[in-house]
Amino acid sequence: MAELGERRGMGVGGGPLVVIVLSHRNPGQVARLVDRIRTGVDTVAVIHHDPTGEPLTMRPSSNVALIPDARPCQWGRLSLVEAQWRSLRWVAANIPEFSWALLVSGQDYPIRPITTIEKELAASPYDAYLRHFAVTPDPAADTDPWQAVTRRRYLRKRRLPGTHRSVPLPFERRHPYRDGVGLYVGDMWFNLSAETVHGMLADPLADRLLRYLRYAPIPDETFICSLALNARPARSVANDSRRFIRWGADASHPDLITAAHLDELRADDAFFARKIDVSAHPEVPDLLDQVAADRRSPS
């Protein structure tokens, strides 16, 4: 903590940018990601590493922190949401002067210089960047097929305890999305201003959502979005995760980034690309470093 404390008061836009990394495998790839995050003027990498995965040998420093007592994270279950939530609480308690908090996975990688991300967020008119959709009671208002999928998922399904499986229900669960509280869905990869984070941490809606989502499938695709979009007073939220992600037809996971994506990456304004795998495509981090270098803004 003392080393992190030495950085306080140096922040761009009021305090350091914090990038939370959720990781569980490939410690060498995670280390390279963290090295890139550390190239910011005042950016701190905060790592939540699944203790059931390959062990990390990384040590804390003035701009690297490890979440203590990290918990196992299971896809599609509340443990993934709890890891996000515990990480945000840790950041708020231990780096209280932070300016923004971003969430990435250990398989993400920046495609812009961290210094330009710092500058953009310091000058941003928004309180958050989150790709999201409102899921209203009226299907006629839908603009994307995903809204119908998630309406059934979060209102008419219940996850079986101890499994990834969920069962459809012939009725709506008794849910918290009433009395002015809306259901929102979107990517779990957030970009949140400090004011937004502190407001969410103090919001009693968080506990209600956590209790409800314990028995919902894939809760990570609604928890942060629903908290941020239901904030009072309302936050200014850009409908964009600032991530470069490509999906194949009917795929349950994003495509791996390869050299074939380079032209799209150069034209995109995303902060990070998702996802990379150095065991399958070891050349990709070098290629993405070059994409970022080519986009470096003049000093």
Side-chain angles (χ1 to χ4, degrees), residues 84-93 98 194-204 206-207 227:
Q84 299 174 52
W85 199 231
R86 289 182 68 244
S87 297
L88 284 174
R89 286 191 178 280
W90 189 93
V91 168
F98 77 99
E195 186 176 355
T196 300
V197 171
H198 288 300
M200 290 165 57
L201 292 173
D203 192 338
D207 287 339
L227 264 185

Short mmCIF file of all heavy atoms in Angstrom, two decimals, residues 84-93 98 194-204 206-207 227:
data_model
loop_
_atom_site.label_atom_id
_atom_site.label_comp_id
_atom_site.label_asym_id
_atom_site.label_seq_id
_atom_site.Cartn_x
_atom_site.Cartn_y
_atom_site.Cartn_z
N GLN A 84 -15.64 -8.76 -9.96
CA GLN A 84 -15.70 -7.36 -10.40
C GLN A 84 -16.00 -6.44 -9.21
O GLN A 84 -15.34 -5.41 -9.02
CB GLN A 84 -16.81 -7.16 -11.42
CG GLN A 84 -16.69 -7.93 -12.71
CD GLN A 84 -17.95 -7.72 -13.54
OE1 GLN A 84 -18.38 -6.61 -13.80
NE2 GLN A 84 -18.55 -8.81 -13.99
N TRP A 85 -17.00 -6.83 -8.44
CA TRP A 85 -17.49 -6.00 -7.34
C TRP A 85 -16.44 -5.87 -6.24
O TRP A 85 -16.20 -4.78 -5.72
CB TRP A 85 -18.78 -6.59 -6.82
CG TRP A 85 -19.66 -5.67 -6.02
CD1 TRP A 85 -20.19 -5.91 -4.77
CD2 TRP A 85 -20.15 -4.39 -6.40
NE1 TRP A 85 -20.96 -4.86 -4.37
CE2 TRP A 85 -20.96 -3.91 -5.35
CE3 TRP A 85 -19.99 -3.59 -7.54
CZ2 TRP A 85 -21.59 -2.67 -5.39
CZ3 TRP A 85 -20.62 -2.37 -7.59
CH2 TRP A 85 -21.41 -1.91 -6.53
N ARG A 86 -15.80 -6.98 -5.88
CA ARG A 86 -14.73 -6.94 -4.87
C ARG A 86 -13.57 -6.09 -5.36
O ARG A 86 -12.95 -5.35 -4.58
CB ARG A 86 -14.24 -8.34 -4.53
CG ARG A 86 -15.24 -9.18 -3.74
CD ARG A 86 -14.67 -10.54 -3.38
NE ARG A 86 -13.59 -10.42 -2.43
CZ ARG A 86 -12.33 -10.74 -2.67
NH1 ARG A 86 -11.97 -11.19 -3.86
NH2 ARG A 86 -11.42 -10.63 -1.73
N SER A 87 -13.26 -6.17 -6.64
CA SER A 87 -12.16 -5.38 -7.19
C SER A 87 -12.48 -3.89 -7.14
O SER A 87 -11.62 -3.07 -6.78
CB SER A 87 -11.86 -5.81 -8.63
OG SER A 87 -11.44 -7.17 -8.68
N LEU A 88 -13.71 -3.51 -7.49
CA LEU A 88 -14.09 -2.10 -7.41
C LEU A 88 -14.07 -1.60 -5.96
O LEU A 88 -13.62 -0.48 -5.69
CB LEU A 88 -15.48 -1.89 -8.01
CG LEU A 88 -15.56 -1.90 -9.54
CD1 LEU A 88 -17.01 -1.84 -9.99
CD2 LEU A 88 -14.77 -0.74 -10.14
N ARG A 89 -14.53 -2.42 -5.03
CA ARG A 89 -14.48 -2.03 -3.62
C ARG A 89 -13.03 -1.85 -3.16
O ARG A 89 -12.72 -0.92 -2.42
CB ARG A 89 -15.19 -3.08 -2.76
CG ARG A 89 -16.69 -3.06 -2.86
CD ARG A 89 -17.32 -3.94 -1.77
NE ARG A 89 -18.77 -3.90 -1.81
CZ ARG A 89 -19.51 -2.92 -1.30
NH1 ARG A 89 -18.92 -1.89 -0.71
NH2 ARG A 89 -20.82 -2.95 -1.37
N TRP A 90 -12.17 -2.75 -3.58
CA TRP A 90 -10.75 -2.66 -3.20
C TRP A 90 -10.14 -1.38 -3.76
O TRP A 90 -9.41 -0.67 -3.05
CB TRP A 90 -10.00 -3.88 -3.69
CG TRP A 90 -8.60 -3.96 -3.15
CD1 TRP A 90 -8.17 -4.61 -2.03
CD2 TRP A 90 -7.44 -3.32 -3.71
NE1 TRP A 90 -6.83 -4.42 -1.84
CE2 TRP A 90 -6.35 -3.63 -2.87
CE3 TRP A 90 -7.21 -2.54 -4.83
CZ2 TRP A 90 -5.06 -3.18 -3.12
CZ3 TRP A 90 -5.92 -2.07 -5.07
CH2 TRP A 90 -4.87 -2.39 -4.22
N VAL A 91 -10.43 -1.09 -5.02
CA VAL A 91 -9.88 0.13 -5.64
C VAL A 91 -10.37 1.37 -4.88
O VAL A 91 -9.58 2.27 -4.55
CB VAL A 91 -10.29 0.20 -7.13
CG1 VAL A 91 -10.00 1.59 -7.70
CG2 VAL A 91 -9.55 -0.87 -7.92
N ALA A 92 -11.67 1.44 -4.60
CA ALA A 92 -12.23 2.61 -3.92
C ALA A 92 -11.62 2.78 -2.53
O ALA A 92 -11.42 3.91 -2.06
CB ALA A 92 -13.74 2.48 -3.81
N ALA A 93 -11.30 1.67 -1.86
CA ALA A 93 -10.75 1.75 -0.50
C ALA A 93 -9.26 2.04 -0.49
O ALA A 93 -8.76 2.72 0.41
CB ALA A 93 -11.02 0.44 0.24
N PHE A 98 -8.54 7.68 -7.38
CA PHE A 98 -8.54 7.25 -8.78
C PHE A 98 -9.54 8.07 -9.58
O PHE A 98 -10.52 8.59 -9.06
CB PHE A 98 -8.85 5.75 -8.88
CG PHE A 98 -10.29 5.38 -8.72
CD1 PHE A 98 -11.10 5.15 -9.83
CD2 PHE A 98 -10.86 5.27 -7.46
CE1 PHE A 98 -12.44 4.82 -9.69
CE2 PHE A 98 -12.20 4.93 -7.31
CZ PHE A 98 -12.99 4.71 -8.43
N ALA A 194 -14.73 7.69 -11.53
CA ALA A 194 -14.70 7.48 -10.08
C ALA A 194 -16.03 7.84 -9.45
O ALA A 194 -16.53 7.14 -8.55
CB ALA A 194 -13.57 8.31 -9.47
N GLU A 195 -16.64 8.93 -9.90
CA GLU A 195 -17.92 9.35 -9.33
C GLU A 195 -18.98 8.28 -9.55
O GLU A 195 -19.80 8.00 -8.65
CB GLU A 195 -18.36 10.67 -9.95
CG GLU A 195 -19.62 11.25 -9.31
CD GLU A 195 -19.97 12.62 -9.87
OE1 GLU A 195 -19.19 13.16 -10.69
OE2 GLU A 195 -21.04 13.14 -9.49
N THR A 196 -18.97 7.66 -10.73
CA THR A 196 -19.92 6.60 -11.01
C THR A 196 -19.67 5.39 -10.12
O THR A 196 -20.61 4.80 -9.56
CB THR A 196 -19.82 6.18 -12.49
OG1 THR A 196 -20.11 7.31 -13.32
CG2 THR A 196 -20.80 5.06 -12.82
N VAL A 197 -18.40 5.02 -9.96
CA VAL A 197 -18.07 3.87 -9.11
C VAL A 197 -18.52 4.11 -7.68
O VAL A 197 -19.17 3.26 -7.05
CB VAL A 197 -16.56 3.56 -9.16
CG1 VAL A 197 -16.19 2.52 -8.11
CG2 VAL A 197 -16.15 3.09 -10.55
N HIS A 198 -18.17 5.27 -7.11
CA HIS A 198 -18.55 5.55 -5.73
C HIS A 198 -20.07 5.56 -5.55
O HIS A 198 -20.58 5.08 -4.53
CB HIS A 198 -17.94 6.88 -5.28
CG HIS A 198 -16.46 6.82 -5.07
ND1 HIS A 198 -15.87 5.97 -4.16
CD2 HIS A 198 -15.44 7.50 -5.66
CE1 HIS A 198 -14.55 6.13 -4.19
NE2 HIS A 198 -14.27 7.05 -5.09
N GLY A 199 -20.78 6.08 -6.56
CA GLY A 199 -22.24 6.07 -6.49
C GLY A 199 -22.80 4.65 -6.51
O GLY A 199 -23.74 4.33 -5.77
N MET A 200 -22.23 3.79 -7.36
CA MET A 200 -22.68 2.41 -7.44
C MET A 200 -22.42 1.66 -6.14
O MET A 200 -23.27 0.89 -5.66
CB MET A 200 -21.99 1.71 -8.61
CG MET A 200 -22.45 2.20 -9.98
SD MET A 200 -21.36 1.70 -11.33
CE MET A 200 -21.35 -0.05 -11.17
N LEU A 201 -21.25 1.88 -5.55
CA LEU A 201 -20.90 1.18 -4.32
C LEU A 201 -21.82 1.55 -3.16
O LEU A 201 -22.04 0.76 -2.25
CB LEU A 201 -19.44 1.47 -3.94
CG LEU A 201 -18.38 0.87 -4.88
CD1 LEU A 201 -17.00 1.36 -4.49
CD2 LEU A 201 -18.42 -0.65 -4.87
N ALA A 202 -22.35 2.77 -3.21
CA ALA A 202 -23.24 3.24 -2.14
C ALA A 202 -24.72 2.96 -2.43
O ALA A 202 -25.57 3.21 -1.57
CB ALA A 202 -23.04 4.74 -1.94
N ASP A 203 -25.03 2.43 -3.59
CA ASP A 203 -26.42 2.26 -4.01
C ASP A 203 -27.00 0.97 -3.42
O ASP A 203 -26.47 -0.13 -3.68
CB ASP A 203 -26.47 2.20 -5.54
CG ASP A 203 -27.88 2.31 -6.08
OD1 ASP A 203 -28.84 2.02 -5.34
OD2 ASP A 203 -28.02 2.66 -7.27
N PRO A 204 -28.08 1.04 -2.64
CA PRO A 204 -28.68 -0.19 -2.09
C PRO A 204 -29.20 -1.14 -3.16
O PRO A 204 -29.43 -2.33 -2.88
CB PRO A 204 -29.81 0.33 -1.20
CG PRO A 204 -30.07 1.72 -1.65
CD PRO A 204 -28.78 2.25 -2.18
N ALA A 206 -27.52 -2.40 -5.43
CA ALA A 206 -26.49 -3.41 -5.69
C ALA A 206 -26.78 -4.70 -4.93
O ALA A 206 -26.71 -5.80 -5.51
CB ALA A 206 -25.12 -2.86 -5.31
N ASP A 207 -27.11 -4.61 -3.66
CA ASP A 207 -27.38 -5.82 -2.88
C ASP A 207 -28.62 -6.54 -3.39
O ASP A 207 -28.66 -7.78 -3.42
CB ASP A 207 -27.55 -5.47 -1.40
CG ASP A 207 -26.23 -5.11 -0.73
OD1 ASP A 207 -25.17 -5.51 -1.26
OD2 ASP A 207 -26.26 -4.43 0.30
N LEU A 227 -26.78 -1.36 -12.75
CA LEU A 227 -26.43 -0.40 -11.69
C LEU A 227 -26.15 0.98 -12.28
O LEU A 227 -26.65 1.99 -11.79
CB LEU A 227 -25.21 -0.89 -10.92
CG LEU A 227 -25.43 -1.65 -9.63
CD1 LEU A 227 -24.09 -1.95 -8.97
CD2 LEU A 227 -26.33 -0.90 -8.66
#
